[in-house]
Amino acid sequence: MANPTANDNVTATGTLGTFAGVFTPSVLTILGIILFLRLGYVMGSAGLARGLIIIALANAISVITSISLSAVATNLKVRGGGDYYLISRTLGLEFGGSIGLVLFLAQSVSIAFYCIGFAEAIAAFLPQAHPATVQLIAAGAVAFLFIFAWQGADWATRFQFVVMALLVAALLSFVIGGVRHWDSAILAANWATPGDGAPFWVLFAIFFPAVTGFTQGVSMSGDLADPGKSIPLGTFLAVGLSIAVYFGVAILFAASMPNAILAMDYGAMKRISAVGFFIDAGVIAATLSSAMASFMGAPRILQSLAADRIFAVLTPFAAVSQPSGNPRRGVLLSAGIAFATIALGQLNLVAGIVSMFFLISYGLLNYATYFEARTQSPSFRPRFKWFSPPLSLLGCVICLGAMLAIDPKSGAAAIALLFAVHQYLQRTAGPARWADSARSHHLQQVRGHLLAAAEDPAHARDWRPQLLVFTHDSPKQAAILSFAAWIEGGSGFTEAVQIVEGEGPAARKAREAAHRNLTEAIVRGRHPMFPLTVSAADPAQAMGVLIQSSGIGPLRPNTVVVNWMDDSAKAISGIDAYNYVRNLRLIFRQGKNLVLLHTDQESWQRLENRSREDRRIDIWWQGDATSRLMLLLAHLMTRNESWNKTALRVLTQGDGASVEAERETLKKTLEEIRIDAGVEIVDDVEAATIVNRSADAAFVFLPMKFVHNQILDPTGKSFERCLPRLPASALALAAEDINLDAAPEEGLAAQVAQAADELEAANKKAQIAEKTAADKKAALESLKNQVETLETEGISGAVPLEEHDALKEKLKDAASGAEKAYRRAMKAKVKAEDAAKAVDTLNPGGLPAKPPDHKE
């Protein structure tokens, strides 16, 4: 035997075609013992109408799952493992490994089920058979089928052709007998449901196993010459033929024998058949063919599962015999499970759970297709076009519903076992040896969420640290990466950036090496961040471009983190401290918050050795935007496991008048913003005070400011007086004010809504003013016409002069009113336009700017 790796499993190529490799094992498993021994009982107990509904509902599951199966199978180059392969390559190794294991066990146990059915049929011909006779015959059947399974797919296929011939003969015999016994009166009487018939779902549960064999051909995928073509074609041919057979046989049952007899006689098919011997032969053939299909499918699932090295204990079963590629070790194990199941004899204890495993696999196949399609991955290009993601999801739901309807306890047990294996693999399995659809799913989710976030206006409640961390390959790299992960607090995004100076091939090689080192440092520290390494002739210019261009959509850096002085100078400018400060000022002018980490190897070592219970973070408070930024970053640090028991302390300078009042005010502020921290009032914030008060802290946050080209402390003096004597510290300067207690009604959304309300009111006023102006203009025109008429009559002496003068005065007043109305209308229009501009100014991205009661 050969011992292939997973790659060997992938590259193996079979020789079977559609008919022998897919259609034959599928149709022989579908047209099984239920057809010969239980379909008549179902029709007699349900009546023809309900019986046809049961057949249609059960086959709807097989048709929908076949559609999903065909879509996935034509999108992948299907290798060995059938259902396991398709599910694992779509939903990942956890789902694939768990369903592969339970399907192998289910099919192995199914060998025993079918062989016991065969034994019971044989035992019926034996007078006064011993109770152990059935088990002995079943064991003999397993041994007989083992020979074919051991020889490989070609031998099994030859055996299946013999079984196929017997099934065809049995069905022809029944059809001939059913036509002879046809009675339209019996058919009409059997349409209704008998009064004493069994419940619908009980009958459905009895019939459903009849349609659970259509994936047997998929289990042979590793032995197929062209799985992508053979699986859809062979599966649909098998399902289509079986649907026609089941509906046809059901109608012949209903037209040949009364419901009462059908419900009592499991051998009704033999009585109706033209030649009863062929029905006995069909029962025997059906049980053996189903057992043979399971005998061929189970070892191949196990071999594919073992080749993927998901379960270390199964690795020996990855071996296959050459040159046939038959997984003989898996055949031996399947035979052993079948023999053990027959020896136990208590098949009813596990029968329900085994059926559930097949339903779970169908449900997961449907969900895998839906999942793959919903990722919108460009790689999802199935050749089978007649599928629908909603239909696949419906198939998954129907399978779940069928499980609960058939046997809630068995369904729950099967799901629990599947979940247990899934959780075990999630905790113990190594990295997958293949690409599944999980990453495509995440990328599609990211796309959708980013677009959705961009449609909503930004709000202070949404603020979270989006960090751009400039680092360098130095001893301080690990410290700044850890610090960035702490202050990100599991709420934002961090991009670790390294700039390599230079151009050309040498710079590209240096950049690649630096990127590998940076990536390894991130992985080694298990930091939730993304590496980015760029090369540039001018690092300062590259830094400026990165500050402006990093991020996508609403995910733009708002805070830049660098090391203090010496190492940062190398990391972001590559030159002296003067340019280091200049570059920081440029970053600040771009609207980015600045955080500078100051530490050395000794202080960092002390920090790492300090217990969590003994840690304290000091924040030197000034009541401004920088103070709020430092407080929030310190709070986010406590969300990290390394700091989750750390106390916060806020220190601020008092004016000497009322220390207690100041303390209470600051405590109230902290309470309002919902951050737990102690408060301490100090006399001053000189270097000596800072050192005396914070030397025993684990970490210190200090505000900084720029004066000319220097970084100074709050008193306007150099940090060199205190930083060397402090523990690990961070200097901060806020470029934005973070509202730590923002109300939902505040912010851009509220401003846009208010502006939209004002726009609506301005538009209404403009409309009213325009209407008033139009009315006055119409009245003016009417008076003009009257004046012209009166003047004409006045010339002839028919109109008194007094009436003519009064009308002209009224005309003059109307003209003045119309002019005023026109001016008011124009002013209202200008105000409406200004309101529209205000909305556009607040809402440049086209965010929804409709008043709350607006309806499309």
Side-chain angles (χ1 to χ4, degrees), residues 264-349:
M264 296 176 60
D265 187 2
Y266 290 159
M269 179 174 275
K270 184 176 180 180
R271 294 176 57 183
I272 297 172
S273 178
V275 182
F277 166 77
F278 284 124
I279 301 302
D280 292 330
V283 172
I284 294 172
T287 53
L288 289 181
S289 66
S290 298
M292 188 71 252
S294 296
F295 224 142
M296 297 302 298
R300 282 153 178 78
I301 292 175
L302 178 64
Q303 191 275 331
S304 184
L305 185 64
D308 285 335
R309 300 180 184 273
I310 296 178
F311 299 95
V313 69
L314 298 180
T315 302
F317 294 97
V320 296
S321 61
Q322 297 299 339
S324 63
N326 191 32
R328 287 183 172 176
R329 292 181 181 177
V331 172
L332 281 171
L333 182 59
S334 294
I337 294 174
F339 282 124
T341 305
I342 292 172
L344 290 174
Q346 300 296 323
L347 299 183
N348 290 336
L349 296 178

Side-chain angles (χ1 to χ4, degrees), residues 94 348 395 536 541 815 831 846:
E94 293 88 358
N348 290 336
Q541 185 178 6
K831 288 183 178 181

Side-chain angles (χ1 to χ4, degrees), residues 69 169 207 328 475 524 589 631:
L69 173 67
F207 175 78
R328 287 183 172 176
R524 190 164 51 248
R589 288 170 185 161
L631 181 62

